[in-house]
């Protein structure tokens, strides 16, 4: 299995006015991914931003059609900027009020998944209900599955334990992070790797040759060297990971 993660520059980040440009770049990323024989393409959390949750389904269908055209599984983040679901400075409630979503599709089952972020940090993880933490968010790719996490979910102990309880069914865990600034994703990734699962991350980064994070049960494999660069803007650096 080949999984492509990426670092994406900040042009258009959090700005709905950039969606058409970012969708055009995404189309180019799919073309590059097909040339690299990628099975699953992962874009960061908040790669696209919409004004309300009502727009998510519409833009998600556009992503699905692009993925179907190339026959490549995809996981990409969409934020609902003015959804009213979440106020900064307030913790999310037990039913999840975070306006961050992962849109996922795979040719294995042709189902469009729209998964909402459940928790954001090691502190607010305890406000997330047990049923939410126990949800399975595994995307079938080839003959295995890949678990998709959204940003700070990787710091949620119950979510990590749920994922590790199914590690025999999974090839990897991919975390869709928002931005690399101050995001200590490696801490959660290490815990998953120590538990026996390879963990990868896609994230926005305000620099070229930013770190592409990868932790395996055998140790860190992180690398700054991309396999393909799309100049954009936004600039996308693709890294392809070969997993058994």
């Amino acid at each position: 299995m080949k999984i492509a993660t990426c670092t994406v520059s900040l042009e258009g980040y959090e700005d709905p006015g950039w969606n058409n440009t970012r969708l055009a770049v995404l189309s180019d990323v799919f073309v590059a991914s097909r040339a690299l024989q990628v099975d699953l393409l992962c874009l960061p959390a908040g790669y696209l931003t919409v004004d309300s949750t009502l727009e998510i389904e519409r833009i998600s269908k556009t992503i699905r059609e692009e993925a179907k055209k190339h026959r490549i599984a995809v996981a990409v983040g969409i934020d609902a900027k003015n959804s009213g679901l979440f106020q900064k400075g307030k913790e999310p409630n037990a039913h999840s009020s975070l306006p961050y979503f992962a849109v996922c599709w795979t040719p294995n089952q042709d189902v469009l998944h729209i998964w909402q972020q459940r928790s954001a940090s090691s502190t607010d993880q305890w406000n997330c209900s047990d049923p939410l933490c126990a949800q399975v968010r595994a995307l079938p790719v080839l003959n295995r599955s890949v678990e998709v996490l959204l940003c700070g979910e990787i710091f949620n102990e119950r979510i990590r334990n749920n994922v590790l309880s199914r590690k025999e069914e999974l090839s990897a865990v991919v975390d869709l992070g928002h931005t690399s600034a101050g995001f200590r994703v490696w801490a959660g990734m290490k815990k998953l790797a120590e538990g026996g699962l390879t963990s990868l991350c896609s994230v926005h980064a305000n620099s070229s040759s930013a770190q592409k994070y990868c932790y395996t049960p055998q140790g860190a494999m992180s690398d700054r060297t991309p396999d393909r660069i799309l100049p954009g803007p936004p600039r996308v650096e693709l890294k392809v990971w070969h997993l058994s």
Side-chain angles (χ1 to χ4, degrees):
M1 181 188 298
K2 292 183 179 180
I3 300 177
T5 61
C6 60
T7 53
V8 179
S9 62
L10 293 173
E11 293 93 344
Y13 178 62
E14 295 187 326
D15 184 352
W18 271 71
N19 280 345
N20 287 339
T21 299
R22 283 188 161 229
L23 283 169
V25 170
L26 178 58
S27 180
D28 293 338
V29 174
F30 269 114
V31 172
S33 297
R34 185 173 62 187
L36 292 166
Q37 298 182 314
V38 166
D39 300 301
L40 170 62
L41 170 63
C42 301
L43 279 293
Y47 179 78
L48 298 167
T49 302
V50 295
D51 285 319
S52 75
T53 52
L54 297 177
E55 297 179 55
I56 292 176
E57 186 172 354
R58 176 187 59 81
I59 206 166
S60 297
K61 290 178 179 178
T62 300
I63 295 169
R64 178 182 62 186
E65 291 310 305
E66 191 70 25
K68 288 180 74 170
K69 182 170 69 176
H70 297 284
R71 298 292 295 174
I72 296 174
V74 66
V76 56
I78 300 180
D79 289 357
K81 186 175 182 180
N82 300 316
S83 66
L85 285 174
F86 182 66
Q87 294 179 332
K88 286 187 176 180
K90 292 186 177 182
E91 302 289 2
N93 62 36
H95 301 291
S96 184
S97 56
L98 293 167
Y100 315 128
F101 300 82
V103 172
C104 303
W105 178 87
T106 174
N108 281 44
Q109 58 182 200
D110 196 19
V111 174
L112 183 63
H113 298 283
I114 301 176
W115 289 318
Q116 185 177 3
Q117 186 171 329
R118 293 164 287 183
S119 63
S121 69
S122 59
T123 301
D124 73 22
Q125 66 171 301
W126 307 112
N127 296 330
C128 187
S129 68
D130 287 338
L132 275 177
C133 291
Q135 285 183 356
V136 174
R137 297 183 173 184
L139 196 64
V141 182
L142 298 182
N143 61 342
R144 300 275 285 174
S145 291
V146 176
E147 192 81 8
V148 178
L149 299 182
L150 260 168
C151 205
E153 289 182 341
I154 200 165
F155 304 120
N156 186 312
E157 181 181 342
R158 285 170 295 157
I159 289 176
R160 287 198 310 268
N161 288 341
N162 168 37
V163 173
L164 288 171
S165 73
R166 296 180 281 108
K167 65 182 179 182
E168 300 305 322
E169 307 164 14
L170 301 172
S171 289
V173 179
V174 177
D175 187 72
L176 310 184
H178 278 92
T179 66
S180 58
F183 184 43
R184 298 171 66 249
V185 65
W186 48 265
M189 294 176 74
K190 279 185 176 180
K191 289 184 180 295
L192 288 168
E194 289 166 359
L197 266 175
T198 293
S199 56
L200 308 168
C201 181
S202 286
V203 69
H204 287 89
N206 197 27
S207 63
S208 59
S209 300
Q211 189 73 278
K212 283 75 175 165
Y213 290 103
C214 173
Y215 286 87
T216 75
Q218 291 73 42
M221 300 291 290
S222 301
D223 192 348
R224 294 183 182 274
T225 306
D227 292 297
R228 189 65 55 88
I229 297 173
L230 292 92
R235 175 187 174 95
V236 178
E237 297 184 358
L238 275 174
K239 183 67 180 179
V240 180
W241 309 95
H242 299 248
L243 304 179
S244 57

